[in-house]
Amino acid sequence: MDKIDERQLLRQLSSPATQRKAFGQLVRQYSEQLYWRIRRIVLVHEDADDVLQNTFIKAWNNLASFHGDAKIATWLYRIAINESLDFLRKKKNVETVSADCQDAGVANMLLADKYFDGDAAQALLQEAIATLPDVQRTVFTLRYYDEMKYSEMSQVLGTSEGSLKASYHIAVKKISEYFRARD
């Protein structure tokens, strides 16, 4: 797949004559990286697919309000993360099983998932991450897996860098405690 330069893509997105084709290109260019960012937050493949689809629907519906103040990727990541967090909130409201019961089975669920390509240690790490509050989970995954800088994360999440650093360090501490408790 040939990637289109961001400026060219922005021009095409702003023109009614080329908007649909350009949006198709945007979907092709950003789907995989968005999918993995979403997947690390929602964990389940099918849920990640749904959230990804919702992300692109929201992006399409809000295309007219995007003026290129931020990079396209930053704009899409913000939508994807917000959609992921909304999904998790809705899922918590719907499920009647306690959070402890849910979290205890994350490693087993991931190991049984044909789309999960990690080992038992990675599954346990995901189980520990699943115990974090949604915002800490998001900050941790963006920093740990995506190696996103706090300045970029601040743009995506609309939060101060200091707050993000604190959330990350608290998340690391909680994950460490989770592993110590399992020994």
Side-chain angles (χ1 to χ4, degrees):
M1 165 194 63
D2 294 329
K3 287 190 173 189
I4 294 180
D5 169 77
E6 179 144 342
R7 283 189 208 148
Q8 183 181 0
L9 189 56
L10 280 171
R11 274 192 308 277
Q12 291 177 358
L13 286 168
S14 62
S15 168
T18 57
Q19 192 174 56
R20 283 190 183 278
K21 184 177 179 184
F23 192 78
Q25 179 64 34
L26 179 142
V27 170
R28 287 187 295 280
Q29 263 181 230
Y30 292 98
S31 283
E32 186 173 349
Q33 54 191 329
L34 284 175
Y35 168 83
W36 285 108
R37 288 221 167 129
I38 293 166
R39 175 77 188 265
R40 289 183 189 114
I41 296 169
V42 302
L43 298 178
V44 178
H45 167 72
E46 290 79 8
D47 294 341
D49 275 348
D50 291 345
V51 172
L52 180 63
Q53 183 176 4
N54 290 342
T55 298
F56 284 122
I57 289 169
K58 188 164 269 186
W60 175 257
N61 290 336
N62 292 293
L63 200 54
S65 65
F66 179 69
H67 302 291
D69 300 335
K71 289 182 173 182
I72 292 172
T74 302
W75 179 64
L76 289 171
Y77 295 155
R78 174 176 262 168
I79 295 170
I81 289 166
N82 286 332
E83 287 296 307
S84 298
L85 293 174
D86 286 347
F87 173 83
L88 291 175
R89 279 189 282 276
K90 289 174 188 171
K91 187 175 180 178
K92 280 183 183 174
N93 289 337
V94 169
E95 293 188 356
T96 57
V97 181
S98 76
D100 292 337
C101 292
Q102 284 179 295
D103 296 340
V106 170
N108 291 333
M109 177 196 68
L110 287 173
L111 290 171
D113 184 346
K114 68 180 179 180
Y115 296 104
F116 180 72
D117 61 356
D119 59 14
Q122 289 169 322
L124 282 175
L125 175 59
Q126 287 301 320
E127 187 169 284
I129 293 168
T131 66
L132 298 172
D134 296 341
V135 173
Q136 285 177 8
R137 181 187 320 176
T138 301
V139 171
F140 182 84
T141 58
L142 291 174
R143 184 77 180 143
Y144 181 80
Y145 289 111
D146 299 330
E147 298 177 352
M148 188 180 281
K149 295 178 183 174
Y150 289 111
S151 58
E152 186 181 352
M153 210 184 305
S154 177
Q155 284 185 317
V156 170
L157 297 174
T159 307
S160 73
E161 289 183 41
S163 174
L164 294 168
K165 288 176 183 178
S167 288
Y168 179 76
H169 290 291
I170 291 168
V172 169
K173 185 177 178 180
K174 287 179 179 179
I175 290 170
S176 297
E177 289 170 0
Y178 182 87
F179 277 100
R180 274 195 292 279
R182 291 188 61 88
D183 286 340

